[in-house]
Amino acid sequence: MIAEIIMNSSVKNLDRTFDYSIPFELEDKITIGSRVFVKFGNIKKLKEGFVVNIKEKSEFEAKPISKVEERDFIDEPKIKLAKWMAKRYFCNVSDCIKLMLPPGTGTNNLENRAKEKTLRFVRCLKTSEEIEFDIENKKLKSEKQIRALRFLCNNNEISSKDLEELSDVSTAILKTLEKNRYIEFYEQAVERNPFMHKVITSNQKLVLTEEQQAAYKAVEDSIDDIMNSEFLLFGVTGSGKTEVYLQLIEKVLSMGKTSVMLVPEISLTPQTVDRFIARFGQKKIAILHSKLSVGERYDQWYKIKNGEAKIVIGARSAIFAPINDLGLIIIDEEHDSSYKSEMTPRYNVKDVSRYLAKEYSIPIVYGSATPDMDTYYKATIGEIELLELTKRANNASLPNINIVDMRRELANGNRSSISMKLYDNIKQNLQDKKQTILFLNRRGYSTFILCRDCGYVAKCKHCNIALTYHSKENKLKCHYCGYETLPVGYCPDCKSKNIQYSGSGTQKLEEEINKIFPSAKTIRMDVDTVSKKNSHEDILNKFKNENIDILIGTQMVVKGHHFPNVTLVGVIFADGSLNIEDYRANERTFQILTQVAGRAGRENNKGNVIIQTYNPDNLSIEFSKKQDFKLFYQTEIMIRKQLKYPPFCDIILIGFSSENEINVIESAKFIYMSLKEKIIKEKLKIILYKPVPAPIDKIKNKIRWRIIIKCKFDDEIIDALNRSIEELKNKNIKNVKTVIDINPTNMM
Ligand code: ADP
Ligand code: ZN
Ligand code: ZN
């Protein structure tokens, strides 16, 4: 038999199959999806590849496969998925296969790969009668040896470390016993369990409200009828979406099948996981999350692979977990931008979910309080079934939302970042011993440093991006490449000393708050304070349990957390996300403001939200005051239609980057011409824009150009793009990286 193999490599030219023969003795072990090692070209070391097809004969003289990895092969449907993705996302098949391997094993470097964790265990080779016999006959005399053996007889097969500790003997004693054939050592895998030490009281399922029940029933019917339908569970935070998920998962579990629940990386908090453990127990749950160690993730992966875990909770890549009896896919906070990968392969997990749901004939449930424009549009035209939860499940009322015009504050002589209204509310909250969250989507101290005389802004010399000032370290930092430099007291261009540290970040805000409310206890959460493994959890727990009055943070504070004592949420600068150069600016602003507002008053206390802005008339700000997604949607969808933006059109961004500017421009022009020709010859319905420098035209010394295309992203255009890329490859322009991104989250 012949195996078609794809090498584990991101090199474009290796994105094809190679034939190898399967030696007779490996025939049982090699299937489609096996990971194998082969001689490749003149390379001495064996190279790794994946079997993507098996056939009778080859037209070439095929060399034999040398070795096969027995433990972690993936299955044939995954290979099919990888091929589908490679074509759709313009990358190598092996790039996609890597997503499906056990965590920490994608690298070609065998020494660095994650493995099982094993411990040395001890087992007794004699019965207790035999041992007692030997003791009587003085064959065994050492007190310590006898103690260890007797202990082992009662507790056979324990780790040698435990045996040493519990029977109080040294390693040398055990070695002697091994030599005399009383015991033997062996290695055994142990699970690295991220839930260890967790004590969670179990929690019973709730009686669903009428709306929840209707939603549940719709999805249940589709599960029972083995239908591939899609649902949008649309409900404000606290409307009981999670309870619906829990009960659907229970249903799927009772059928012996596995559910996947995707959550944004940032909201996969211990609180979320705890709710699932409380309902189902930790044995059946696997979590896949970047905060776990590679070893832990590796073990979670096998817990799914061997069928023990029936509920998989994770960030976007959890969709590639080795599940063979998939019964349901849930995508919570489905509007979240983290569901789209910004690295090769640049996949959107919703596309992949749709593909899988079709293969398995199962439903997908999208959940959100502020659905993606695209998802909601599909719901309005009937492609997705809309399930609505209109009330908060525990009868908590929606918060009061106030908008403060910061231009007027300035006119009234208030130059601080806290408006009078917010000041009064924080003060009142402190008196009432209630908690406050202040949200500002900028870390650090101030956004940039500006010369008031000539307008000079300090920028990173590698990236052409404004540098951010971090006051604690007194440094200017580039958030793109990590470049750091010391601030200078004068303008490098005009030598003026009139330098303004303008804007504000979380760190500066915390200082300001500490000055205005010296007795208030504050805590800050942003990427600079959240870095260690658990400190995200630590900060939230501290805020919850240690009488901290004010939590100040970026985006991170917005999602999924549940703080019963928070009654006031302040948005310091709502305009931050409006000024981005992106067609989704309004959508993002509306989403963030609605989510932030959802943090206030989740239980019996009525919540207050204060939104500070310089654009009080902006529609997304106005609609978030009304908490009315539908109104926002109706306005925004008209703009999208007019300007031919998604969901009416897909945006394809072809990016070119290199340190060599001439090569970048040449590549971009080549692709442009090649596509233009196809448009004319093949009558492709696309709008092709001329190559231009990207908004950030230099990152890490690489010059960046781009081409934008608007079209319906279908098989025809996939094919045309793949051919143009192939032609470019044959031109052999050196050192230019080309990426194609479909509806990218980041347009910069
Ligand atoms: P969401 O996921 O939409 O934010 P949750 O499922 O977290 O909403 O529900 C919010 C709160 O309401 C939780 O404390 C939950 O326990 C409670 N809750 C949800 N459904 C019910 C129900 N049917 N009866 C009583 N309480 C409920
Ligand atoms: Zn100047
Ligand atoms: Zn930089």
Side-chain angles (χ1 to χ4, degrees), residues 451 453-456 491 493-496:
C451 170
D453 289 337
C454 77
Y456 163 87
C491 169
D493 271 9
C494 75
K495 312 284 177 250
S496 153

Side-chain angles (χ1 to χ4, degrees), residues 87-313:
K87 194 157 173 239
R88 191 183 169 93
Y89 300 118
F90 310 96
C91 61
N92 283 11
V93 176
S94 73
D95 291 329
C96 304
I97 291 178
K98 276 189 193 164
L99 294 168
M100 302 162 188
L101 296 172
T105 72
T107 145
N108 255 315
N109 185 344
L110 293 178
E111 282 81 51
N112 284 346
R113 276 196 180 156
K115 296 189 214 34
E116 285 182 305
K117 181 177 175 186
T118 58
L119 278 183
R120 205 149 75 132
F121 274 65
V122 188
R123 92 165 53 94
C124 195
L125 295 172
K126 305 223 164 158
T127 63
S128 65
E129 287 80 31
E130 286 170 324
I131 289 166
E132 294 306 323
F133 185 81
D134 286 354
I135 296 171
E136 246 167 61
N137 293 317
K138 305 276 186 262
K139 221 178 134 195
L140 266 172
K141 281 179 291 211
S142 145
E143 186 89 8
K144 287 180 178 164
Q145 288 183 22
I146 293 171
R147 193 161 69 224
L149 278 173
R150 282 188 169 145
F151 187 88
L152 190 58
C153 277
N154 292 325
N155 307 278
N156 207 0
E157 316 229 344
I158 65 171
S159 77
S160 76
K161 192 163 157 264
D162 283 351
L163 180 59
E164 285 166 26
E165 263 169 29
L166 295 169
S167 61
D168 191 23
V169 298
S170 65
T171 314
I173 298 284
L174 297 187
K175 285 247 171 75
T176 315
L177 284 170
E178 185 201 18
K179 212 175 79 199
N180 297 337
R181 301 297 298 150
Y182 281 97
I183 63 170
E184 75 177 356
F185 294 112
Y186 63 100
E187 293 286 315
Q188 179 167 302
V190 289
E191 191 193 331
R192 287 154 287 198
N193 181 354
F195 313 126
M196 210 148 68
H197 315 305
K198 259 200 187 251
V199 189
I200 293 166
T201 44
S202 75
N203 134 320
Q204 297 302 313
K205 74 173 177 188
L206 304 167
V207 179
L208 295 180
T209 64
E210 221 166 278
E211 284 181 332
Q212 281 174 318
Q213 180 59 31
Y216 173 84
K217 186 77 175 54
V219 185
E220 186 188 39
D221 285 349
S222 157
I223 294 173
D224 285 336
D225 299 343
I226 316 180
M227 289 234 301
N228 158 229
S229 340
E230 299 178 43
F231 300 92
L232 168 60
L233 187 55
F234 170 45
V236 292
T237 23
S239 60
K241 296 186 291 297
T242 310
E243 185 61 32
V244 176
Y245 304 152
L246 285 163
Q247 300 202 14
L248 285 170
I249 289 171
E250 191 178 326
K251 155 91 189 171
V252 170
L253 197 59
S254 75
M255 300 165 71
K257 291 195 184 180
T258 303
S259 306
V260 178
M261 181 164 108
L262 302 178
V263 293
E265 179 84 42
I266 206 167
S267 57
L268 187 46
T269 58
Q271 294 178 26
T272 316
V273 178
D274 289 356
R275 260 180 97 176
F276 283 77
I277 296 180
R279 189 66 57 90
F280 301 108
Q282 50 163 275
K283 239 180 119 54
K284 296 197 199 79
I285 298 175
I287 54 177
L288 289 167
H289 182 242
S290 67
K291 284 271 160 63
L292 302 181
S293 70
V294 170
E296 283 170 338
R297 271 184 285 150
Y298 181 90
D299 289 350
Q300 294 285 308
W301 195 92
Y302 276 103
K303 197 175 163 185
I304 303 166
K305 172 98 181 153
N306 65 31
E308 190 188 343
K310 291 282 182 195
I311 300 161
V312 178
I313 308 175

Side-chain angles (χ1 to χ4, degrees), residues 665-717:
I665 299 174
E666 194 186 339
S667 304
K669 287 197 168 143
F670 180 85
I671 289 283
Y672 176 74
M673 291 313 293
S674 157
L675 284 171
K676 201 164 176 187
E677 203 182 289
K678 291 188 178 65
I679 293 174
I680 297 165
K681 264 202 202 136
E682 302 168 23
K683 303 203 168 51
L684 295 177
K685 279 202 211 60
I686 69 178
I687 305 170
L688 175 71
Y689 294 92
K690 282 209 174 72
V692 287
I696 302 171
D697 55 9
K698 191 166 99 179
I699 290 184
K700 293 181 196 164
N701 289 326
K702 295 217 166 86
I703 310 296
R704 306 167 79 233
W705 276 59
R706 64 149 77 151
I707 294 173
I708 285 180
I709 297 172
K710 284 185 186 172
C711 63
K712 261 275 156 249
F713 185 61
D714 57 13
D715 289 341
E716 204 175 28
I717 175 83

Side-chain angles (χ1 to χ4, degrees), residues 316 337 340-347 741 743-746:
R316 86 181 161 237
S337 55
K340 163 80 173 56
S341 166
E342 295 292 290
M343 289 178 302
T344 309
R346 296 169 180 260
Y347 67 95
D741 207 334
N743 297 325
T745 5
N746 182 351

Side-chain angles (χ1 to χ4, degrees), residues 641-679:
K641 191 165 189 175
Q642 219 166 31
L643 300 177
K644 288 206 173 57
Y645 279 130
F648 300 100
C649 214
D650 292 298
I651 293 186
I652 302 174
L653 193 155
I654 313 177
F656 306 86
S657 65
S658 168
E659 292 191 3
N660 183 328
E661 185 164 14
I662 295 170
N663 288 357
V664 170
I665 299 174
E666 194 186 339
S667 304
K669 287 197 168 143
F670 180 85
I671 289 283
Y672 176 74
M673 291 313 293
S674 157
L675 284 171
K676 201 164 176 187
E677 203 182 289
K678 291 188 178 65
I679 293 174

